[in-house]
């Protein structure tokens, strides 16, 4: 568990006003974007396999480039096996 998730969990436990909970929701969205997710392969009959963002579907890997973040929504991409 990374430090952002630990901090978010702490806030969730110690905040109770509706205003504070709205801020926690925004922080949760930011933590989710910063947590790398696997790209989705497009199974097409091509020499290379293009990959799309798991959140918005934008191309994140082509024959030429492989991005660590989606340039459309900002989602971090995990390229590990």
């Amino acid at each position: 568990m990374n430090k952002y998730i630990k901090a978010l969990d702490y806030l969730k436990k110690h905040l109770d006003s509706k205003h504070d909970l709205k801020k926690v929701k925004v922080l949760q969205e930011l933590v989710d974007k910063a947590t790398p997710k696997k790209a989705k392969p497009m199974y097409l009959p091509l020499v290379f396999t293009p990959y799309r963002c798991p959140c918005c579907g934008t191309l994140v890997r082509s024959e030429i480039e492989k991005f660590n973040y989606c340039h459309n929504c900002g989602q971090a991409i995990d390229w590990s096996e």
Side-chain angles (χ1 to χ4, degrees):
M1 183 181 296
N2 70 35
K3 62 184 178 182
Y4 301 119
I5 294 173
K6 286 181 183 178
L8 185 61
D9 288 342
Y10 177 83
L11 287 173
K12 284 179 181 178
K13 290 177 186 174
H14 294 88
L15 298 177
D16 35 288
S17 76
K18 288 183 181 181
H19 183 68
D20 288 338
L21 293 176
K22 287 180 183 179
K23 290 179 183 177
V24 169
K25 183 178 178 183
V26 171
L27 288 173
Q28 179 69 57
E29 291 172 4
L30 293 173
V31 168
D32 291 344
K33 289 278 184 194
T35 304
K37 294 181 182 177
K38 297 277 187 191
K40 295 182 179 180
M42 295 175 56
Y43 297 105
L44 301 172
L46 302 171
V47 175
F48 70 97
T49 303
Y51 285 80
R52 296 204 174 271
C53 173
C55 293
C56 71
T58 299
L59 190 67
V60 291
R61 182 178 184 184
S62 65
E63 186 174 12
I64 301 169
E65 294 184 84
K66 180 167 70 172
F67 301 103
N68 291 325
Y69 289 88
C70 175
H71 66 273
N72 185 49
C73 72
Q75 175 63 51
I77 304 296
D78 177 10
W79 292 110
S80 65
E81 292 299 320

